[in-house]
Amino acid sequence: MAAPRPLMDRAERIQPAAYWELLMNLTRREVKGRYSQSLFGLTWAIAQPLATMVVFTLVFARMANLSENGVPYPVFVYAALVPWFFFLNSVNSGTMSLIQYRNIVTKTYFPREIIPLAQVCSRLLDLGAAAALVAVMMAYYGVSVTRWLLLVPPLFVLLFAFTVAVTLLTSAVNVFYRDVSPVVQIGLQLWLYVTPIAYSFSRVPARWQGWIAINPLSGIIEAFRSAIVYGREPDWALLTLSSVLTTVTLIGAFTLFKRLDKYFADVI
């Protein structure tokens, strides 16, 4: 009688096609689970940034002119809220993802980063629905489109990379310390106000601009707004800093995730 095959302490290599198939299956599962019993479905993806835009417009637009070049404040703030809520919702759900999938984490070996990555991918549908309203608002307010709109795809890649980086980091640490999730939620609430969403980066006092600039989302969201709403080139120095910080964060988060990966099944 042959001896049983010993369990491995790490995932076997899988083919890219199999990796992709597993990622898509988990993504579809998340999307179906989120909307299968939802009365309003994708409407929630629009309602969330739209409601925040209304609040910001009522509060901030009356206090000071926080936009530039005569751009209507609702368009100004909503264009920034769309990428922000993609980041916010992805990190919120991704932080708990490994805990929610504990059954398969403890029973089989596979690249566990697929689980938080699927959480981020499942939010792409929400992002698309919310982004569609940006086009409607721009048409309503007569905001023209320029060639700088071509910068949106690489900016999205940068946003996606940073979102994945933070989600990998929080999901991995949350396996060992379950109070990470509420800390992340509080941190995200504060993060909103240190990101130039309700205000423009140029409106930040000079003594605080350095602190706002080291937030990678600052350069990303400012660049989105420049390309879409203002129709002009972004602040390249700010965007370059965000790109470098995003790359470093992604490499560091993935490295940490893979080092902790082998302990997930025992701790979770």
Side-chain angles (χ1 to χ4, degrees):
M1 180 177 179
R5 183 182 179 185
L7 292 175
M8 298 178 62
D9 63 352
R10 61 186 177 85
E12 296 183 26
R13 288 184 177 273
I14 63 174
Q15 296 298 320
Y19 190 104
W20 177 258
E21 183 179 1
L22 179 57
L23 175 61
M24 289 299 99
N25 286 337
L26 286 179
T27 301
R28 281 193 293 268
R29 177 178 176 177
E30 284 299 318
V31 172
K32 289 180 180 178
R34 188 177 304 134
Y35 296 117
S36 60
Q37 295 182 325
S38 174
L39 180 62
F40 297 103
L42 274 176
T43 305
W44 289 116
I46 300 175
Q48 198 176 15
L50 189 62
T52 307
M53 179 210 72
V54 172
V55 172
F56 280 0
T57 300
L58 293 175
V59 175
F60 295 111
R62 297 179 181 276
M63 293 172 56
N65 182 19
L66 299 177
S67 61
E68 299 177 7
N69 298 345
V71 172
Y73 188 77
V75 181
F76 168 86
V77 72
Y78 186 81
L81 284 169
V82 170
W84 164 256
F85 273 107
F86 170 74
F87 172 77
L88 172 74
N89 292 328
S90 297
V91 174
N92 265 334
S93 60
T95 298
M96 291 296 297
S97 58
L98 291 171
I99 306 298
Q100 293 171 347
Y101 281 89
R102 60 166 59 89
N103 289 336
I104 63 174
V105 169
T106 56
K107 291 179 179 179
T108 184
Y109 286 102
F110 63 98
R112 272 72 173 266
E113 69 273 9
I114 289 180
I115 294 178
L117 183 57
Q119 294 290 332
V120 179
C121 290
S122 69
R123 295 293 176 177
L124 293 175
L125 190 62
D126 296 0
L127 178 66
L133 187 57
V134 176
V136 174
M137 293 179 66
M138 290 177 65
Y140 176 80
Y141 284 104
V143 179
S144 59
V145 175
T146 70
R147 61 188 177 90
W148 290 106
L149 193 66
L150 297 175
L151 195 60
V152 169
L155 289 175
F156 165 73
V157 172
L158 196 59
L159 172 67
F160 186 85
F162 184 68
T163 304
V164 168
V166 176
T167 305
L168 286 175
L169 181 62
T170 59
S171 63
V173 178
N174 189 61
V175 171
F176 301 90
Y177 304 100
R178 301 301 171 84
D179 50 359
V180 167
S181 182
V183 170
V184 167
Q185 293 179 20
I186 295 172
L188 288 171
Q189 293 177 19
L190 299 176
W191 203 333
L192 170 66
Y193 295 101
V194 295
T195 303
I197 295 174
Y199 53 88
S200 172
F201 181 77
S202 62
R203 303 286 185 180
V204 177
R207 66 180 181 277
W208 297 110
Q209 285 190 354
W211 294 103
I212 300 297
I214 60 175
N215 169 14
L217 286 177
S218 295
I220 297 172
I221 288 179
E222 275 287 291
F224 265 114
R225 192 150 47 197
S226 293
I228 297 172
V229 178
Y230 292 130
R232 67 189 185 196
E233 64 178 327
D235 182 336
W236 292 113
L238 183 62
L239 183 57
T240 299
L241 177 60
S242 292
S243 301
V244 172
L245 292 173
T246 295
T247 302
V248 172
T249 305
L250 181 60
I251 293 173
F254 184 77
T255 301
L256 178 64
F257 189 96
K258 297 308 289 183
R259 287 186 176 180
L260 297 177
D261 189 343
K262 59 185 178 183
Y263 302 112
F264 289 165
D266 295 329
V267 176
I268 204 168

